[in-house]
C-alpha cells in the first residue's frame, strides 16, 4: 500500500492576520503523515509594491510580472512569508524547509510565451522533481512551497500557487496516495454563494458537469475547480475545498471532490 | 577516513555586481565533494532599507536590528539573494537549497541579552543541527545558508554570516574533514594592508600571536581571524582566507590558517 501524502494550499487571505497565521500553521502541524504546504502571499506583495512605489500592472484583470514585481514576489513569497512560516512551524514541532521551485530543483517551468499579452516573468510548469521531494519527505522534512518556479537557466518565475499545488499533487501521486486540500475563506463549494451553510459535501464528475451546466459555480471558483478535476484525472486520490477548519480532526463540513 | 566538506562564506561585496555573482557561483559549482555556502547580503539590505525609508540604526558603529530591519533582512537575505543564488546554482548543475537557520531546524540561537546595548533581533548561536544538514548533504543537496537563525519559538534572528560559517564548520567537523573558506575582497591576510601582493601564505597559532603582538592584523581583519582560530581550536581542519580566485583549482595565492 502506498504511503499517504497531504498537500495543503493555503490562500493568501488566510495568513493576513496573526491569528489566522498561527491557527493554520498549528492545524497543519497536527496533521499526521507526510505533508507539503503551498502558500501564496499576494496581498503582502501588493502592500510591499505600494511601499516601494512599484505599480501593480494589470491587463484584462490579470497581473503582469515585470522584473521589479518579480523581485518583490521573490522577497515576499520566498523570503518574508516563507521564512516566518518555517520558523513558526519549527516552534510547533514540524521540521519545515521553505522552498521555491528552484530549491532542490523541485519545479521547473518555462516563461509563458508572448501571445496577445506578455505576462512577463510568469512560469508554466513543465516538470516536478518528485524524487527530490520524496527524498526530503523520507528524511523527515516538510517542504513549504511558495509560488515561485525556475526555468533551469537561472531565471525564477512567478507561478500561480493553486497550479503549483495541483502539479505537486499529480507528480507525487506516483509514489503516494495523495490528497490535495485547497484552503480558502469559504467553507467549501457553495450551492448558494450568499449562504455559507449551503456547502456541497461531495462533487464527482457527473455533479461537476451539472453544476457547470446550471451555472452554480461562481466565476472565482471556476479555475479552482478546473485545477481540482485536472488533478483528479491525473491520479490524485481526492481533493478537498474548505476553510481552515477543514484541517481540524473530525470536521467534515467542506467539499470533497472525486472522479 | 572522513569525507571532506568545504564551507564557503561569501562576502556581501562579492555578489554586488552581476559578474561577481556569476563568477563565484560558477567556481563554487565546480568545487568537488560536499559543500555548503554561507552568504551575506548586507549591502542589498541597506539599499532596500533606503528604498523603504527605514533608517539603519547604529550604536557605536554596530548595526541594530529592530523589527523593521529584521523584516528587510528576511526579505533580502532569505528571499532575494538566496533564491537568485539557488536558481543560478541550479543552472550551473548544483542541486542547491536556500536556507535560513529555521529551515530544517538547522541553526538555533537565542536573542542576545540586553546589556549596555540592545542589539534587537540579533541571535547568538546555541546549536547547529548537524544531523539534519548531514541528511541533506547525503541526499545530494547543497545547502546555501543566509545570515538568519531562529530561536525555536517562532522568532527569526539576524546572525553574522562569518559566525554562522564558523559554527557550521565546527558542528560538521564531527562527521566531516572540514575546510572553511572566507571569501572576501582581498587576496588574503596582508603583511602590508596597502600592498595586495603581500599575502601571508600560512598562519599558525604562533604566527597569529606574533601578528597580533606586532599589530599587523588590521581592525577589520581582527574578528575574522578570531572566528578562524575559534573554528580551528574546535576541530575544523583548515581555514582559508582570500578573494574569489581562491576557489579556482590550482591557485594557492591566499592565506591558509592551521593550528
Amino acid at each position: 500500500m502506498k504511503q499517504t501524502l497531504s498537500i495543503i494550499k493555503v490562500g493568501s487571505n488566510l495568513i493576513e492576520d496573526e491569528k489566522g497565521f498561527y491557527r493554520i500553521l498549528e492545524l497543519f502541524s497536527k496533521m499526521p503523515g507526510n505533508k507539503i504546504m503551498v502558500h501564496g502571499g499576494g496581498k503582502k506583495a501588493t502592500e510591499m509594491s505600494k511601499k516601494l512605489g512599484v505599480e501593480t500592472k494589470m491587463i484584462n484583470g490579470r497581473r503582469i510580472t515585470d522584473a521589479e514585481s518579480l523581485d518583490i514576489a521573490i522577497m515576499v513569497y520566498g523570503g518574508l512569508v516563507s521564512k516566518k512560516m518555517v520558523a513558526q512551524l519549527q516552534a510547533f514541532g514540524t521540521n519545515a524547509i521553505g522552498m521555491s521551485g528552484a530549491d532542490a530543483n523541485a519545479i521547473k517551468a518555462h516563461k509563458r510565451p508572448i501571445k496577445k499579452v506578455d505576462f512577463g516573468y510568469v512560469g508554466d510548469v513543465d516538470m516536478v522533481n518528485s524524487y527530490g521531494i520524496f527524498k526530503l519527505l523520507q528524511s523527515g522534512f516538510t517542504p513549504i512551497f511558495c509560488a515561485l518556479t525556475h526555468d533551469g537557466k537561472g531565471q525564477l518565475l512567478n507561478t500561480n500557487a493553486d497550479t503549483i499545488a495541483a502539479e505537486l499533487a499529480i507528480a507525487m501521486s506516483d509514489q503516494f496516495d495523495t490528497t490535495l486540500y485547497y484552503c480558502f475563506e469559504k467553507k467549501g463549494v457553495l450551492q448558494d454563494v450568499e449562504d455559507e451553510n449551503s456547502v456541497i459535501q461531495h462533487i464527482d464528475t457527473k455533479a461537476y458537469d451539472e453544476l457547470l451546466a446550471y451555472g452554480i459555480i461562481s466565476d472565482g471558483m471556476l479555475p479552482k475547480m478546473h485545477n481540482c478535476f485536472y488533478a483528479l484525472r491525473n491520479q490524485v486520490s481526492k481533493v478537498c475545498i474548505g476553510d481552515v477548519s477543514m484541517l481540524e480532526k473530525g470536521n467534515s463540513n467542506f467539499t470533497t471532490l472525486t472522479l
Side-chain angles (χ1 to χ4, degrees), chain A:
Chain A
M1 225 178 74
K2 284 181 182 176
Q3 285 186 61
T4 61
L5 170 66
S6 305
I7 299 186
I8 293 94
K9 153 73 199 327
V10 174
S12 167
N13 294 332
L14 298 182
I15 51 169
E16 274 311 287
D17 65 302
E18 214 172 303
K19 217 175 131 189
F21 179 82
Y22 286 121
R23 178 141 186 255
I24 206 148
L25 297 181
E26 194 175 6
L27 288 173
F28 177 74
S29 281
K30 285 181 178 164
M31 291 176 78
N34 297 296
K35 52 199 173 184
I36 292 174
M37 183 176 271
V38 182
H39 62 86
K43 284 211 166 176
K44 283 204 192 299
T46 308
E47 271 170 38
M48 189 52 62
S49 299
K50 268 190 200 151
K51 276 192 197 168
L52 288 167
V54 173
E55 210 185 315
T56 306
K57 289 177 197 71
M58 309 282 276
I59 296 181
N60 302 335
R62 301 188 64 174
R63 193 191 289 245
I64 307 300
T65 308
D66 59 9
E68 271 184 316
S69 310
L70 180 68
D71 275 0
I72 291 171
I74 299 169
M75 289 197 297
V76 175
Y77 308 164
L80 200 62
V81 177
S82 176
K83 297 307 169 200
K84 285 194 172 180
M85 275 189 159
V86 167
Q88 191 55 51
L89 283 168
Q90 292 290 353
F92 286 136
T94 294
N95 202 356
I97 299 189
M99 294 172 67
S100 72
D103 299 276
N105 193 25
I107 312 168
K108 256 190 178 167
H110 62 272
K111 189 169 175 293
R112 185 171 297 167
I114 302 167
K115 288 180 185 162
K116 278 185 197 157
V117 179
D118 180 1
F119 288 102
Y121 295 101
V122 168
D124 292 323
V125 175
D126 290 320
M127 190 272 297
V128 171
N129 174 9
S130 55
Y131 181 58
I133 299 169
F134 173 76
K135 282 195 287 184
L136 289 171
L137 290 168
Q138 290 304 93
S139 297
F141 299 118
T142 298
I144 308 298
F145 281 99
C146 65
L148 294 168
T149 55
H150 79 134
D151 71 356
K153 297 170 206 149
Q155 182 63 55
L156 290 158
L157 296 164
N158 202 347
T159 298
N160 178 277
D162 281 4
T163 307
I164 286 184
E167 295 290 356
L168 281 170
I170 290 168
M172 300 314 289
S173 288
D174 277 348
Q175 199 74 34
F176 293 95
D177 177 5
T178 306
T179 302
L180 172 59
Y181 296 85
Y182 281 112
C183 215
F184 74 144
E185 308 84 6
K186 306 219 174 270
K187 285 193 187 307
V189 182
L190 303 177
Q191 187 78 37
D192 171 3
V193 78
E194 305 289 316
D195 179 7
E196 269 287 340
N197 294 315
S198 68
V199 174
I200 306 173
Q201 299 280 329
H202 183 233
I203 302 176
D204 59 12
T205 313
K206 189 166 163 277
Y208 179 44
D209 289 342
E210 284 172 15
L211 289 169
L212 282 177
Y214 287 98
I216 287 175
I217 298 169
S218 66
D219 287 354
M221 191 57 93
L222 278 173
K224 212 177 265 295
M225 293 286 278
H226 177 79
N227 266 329
C228 294
F229 277 92
Y230 167 63
L232 290 170
R233 280 192 302 269
N234 287 281
Q235 316 308 328
V236 175
S237 303
K238 203 166 72 175
V239 183
C240 302
I241 299 184
D243 66 8
V244 189
S245 66
M246 173 171 62
L247 305 181
E248 272 174 12
K249 216 178 149 182
N251 179 31
S252 61
N253 190 28
F254 52 82
T255 303
T256 302
L257 301 98
T258 55
L259 280 188

